Amino acid sequence: MPTGPAYLIVVLVWATTPLGIKWSAEAGAPIGSVMLRMLIALVAGVLILAVLRRGLRRDRRALASYAAAVPGVFGAMALSYHASQQLPSGLLSVMFGMAPLISGLILQALPGARKLRRWHWFGCALGVVGLGVVFLDGLGVGGGQLGALIMMLAAVTLFSGSGIAVQRVAAGLGPLEQTVGALALSLPCFLALWLASGEPLTIPLTERGRWAVLYLAVFGSLIGFLCYYLILSRLHAATVALVTLITPILALGLGMLLNQERPSASMLIGAALILVALGAYLFGDRLSRLKAAALAREQTPDERR
């Protein structure tokens, strides 16, 4: 697939996924909805592997990589689906946009990690301020929304930590194998949680909820993930990172346009601060280097000496 269409698919899938999550869980069965999504995605992934005549690795390193992805699939998604019943879909996307900041902070506690520079710390600090504004807004609305915000923060932390763990295992798996293996290990966890949750054994879904589950299974859990790894292998990391800045803005707009969501002014201010923080974290060092290079070019030979 050409890089341009793959990049566009990633942006569109990541921007529409929060709204799909909200619609698929609107009938009051968030765990059943996400479990059905993962089951469909797993079946589709296994069929694709069969068509491609590729097996799923089962050696110790591959199993460790699948297991490392479980907190990011099971933990993050279960919490996100629960939180979607209290939060606007756009805010779900904004919270997940914080993943690079949280990943950077987690890496500081691990050996051999690249140390954060001043722009990284500035981005993290500003992100905390933005998060504080959002949390204060949730506190004013009520305990339900505040609890949902805490769930989302935990979900993003699990997602970030899981991604780091998969990278550290470095099993050399392709994106399809990694996805199918992670789904296979996560599905029993979803099943156990679903049975323990007391949700009805027949999963209630609205008409648009059924389409949302199917869309999330095929695009959110398979095609979007594969396209993301494709652009990651072809484009500069900074270009790929732009996705995390573009998608929250689109998700907020889609939520207001298609789901009649009306985030409060303070929630929008907090979201804006988080996006600015993410931009500073991702591109601050690059801008500093460009500015330093421009100043160096302007200096005379005598000044350089």
Side-chain angles (χ1 to χ4, degrees):
M1 179 185 289
T3 305
Y7 194 96
L8 182 61
I9 287 173
V10 172
V11 170
L12 292 177
V13 167
W14 285 21
T16 52
T17 290
L19 190 57
I21 289 174
K22 195 162 184 68
W23 283 355
S24 64
E26 67 185 351
I31 301 303
S33 299
V34 67
M35 184 189 68
L36 183 60
R37 165 190 172 179
M38 298 306 171
L39 176 61
I40 296 171
L42 176 60
V43 171
V46 169
L47 289 175
I48 293 172
L49 283 175
V51 169
L52 297 175
R53 296 183 179 180
R54 285 158 56 181
L56 199 64
R57 277 177 49 189
R58 297 181 180 87
D59 56 272
R60 182 180 296 180
R61 206 165 181 186
L63 291 174
S65 187
Y66 305 149
V70 169
V73 177
F74 167 64
M77 287 297 100
L79 289 168
S80 297
Y81 271 71
H82 264 300
S84 71
Q85 299 187 302
Q86 297 286 338
L87 299 177
S89 60
L91 189 57
L92 301 182
S93 183
V94 171
M95 293 290 285
F96 262 100
M98 291 189 65
L101 282 72
I102 294 175
S103 295
L105 292 174
I106 292 173
L107 283 169
Q108 298 310 293
L110 299 177
R114 181 185 173 188
K115 296 301 179 183
L116 296 183
R117 302 180 69 180
R118 62 176 182 173
W119 277 106
H120 297 137
W121 287 112
F122 172 76
C124 290
L126 189 58
V128 170
V129 172
L131 193 62
V133 172
V134 172
F135 268 67
L136 284 174
D137 183 80
L139 188 61
V141 171
Q145 194 168 73
L146 182 62
L149 285 167
I150 294 171
M151 282 186 188
M152 279 306 303
L153 185 59
V156 179
T157 303
L158 285 173
F159 177 78
S160 303
S162 179
I164 292 170
V166 171
Q167 288 181 330
R168 292 259 165 164
V169 172
L173 294 164
L176 181 58
E177 290 82 359
Q178 177 65 51
T179 303
V180 172
L183 288 171
L185 290 189
S186 298
L187 198 59
C189 302
F190 282 114
L191 178 60
L193 183 60
W194 179 55
L195 294 174
S197 68
E199 290 183 8
L201 296 181
T202 54
I203 302 170
L205 291 171
T206 61
E207 178 66 26
R208 67 181 182 181
R210 285 193 289 271
W211 286 108
V213 168
L214 185 61
Y215 171 78
L216 292 173
V218 176
F219 286 89
S221 297
L222 275 178
I223 295 177
F225 190 75
L226 295 174
C227 289
Y228 172 70
Y229 272 95
L230 186 146
I231 64 173
L232 199 61
S233 66
R234 294 181 183 177
L235 298 176
H236 190 277
T239 305
V240 177
L242 277 172
V243 175
T244 58
L245 282 174
I246 298 170
T247 52
I249 298 170
L250 292 177
L252 284 166
L254 287 172
M256 288 187 280
L257 179 65
L258 301 178
N259 208 44
Q260 292 75 52
E261 295 174 357
R262 294 293 179 267
S264 66
S266 57
M267 192 169 283
L268 289 174
I269 291 171
L273 287 172
I274 290 172
L275 293 178
V276 172
L278 186 59
Y281 182 91
L282 294 172
F283 304 109
D285 277 348
R286 192 178 183 192
L287 291 174
S288 295
R289 287 195 296 270
L290 290 174
K291 185 177 179 180
L295 289 173
R297 285 194 297 270
E298 291 174 1
Q299 288 179 337
T300 64
D302 291 337
E303 289 175 326
R304 290 183 189 140
R305 285 198 293 270

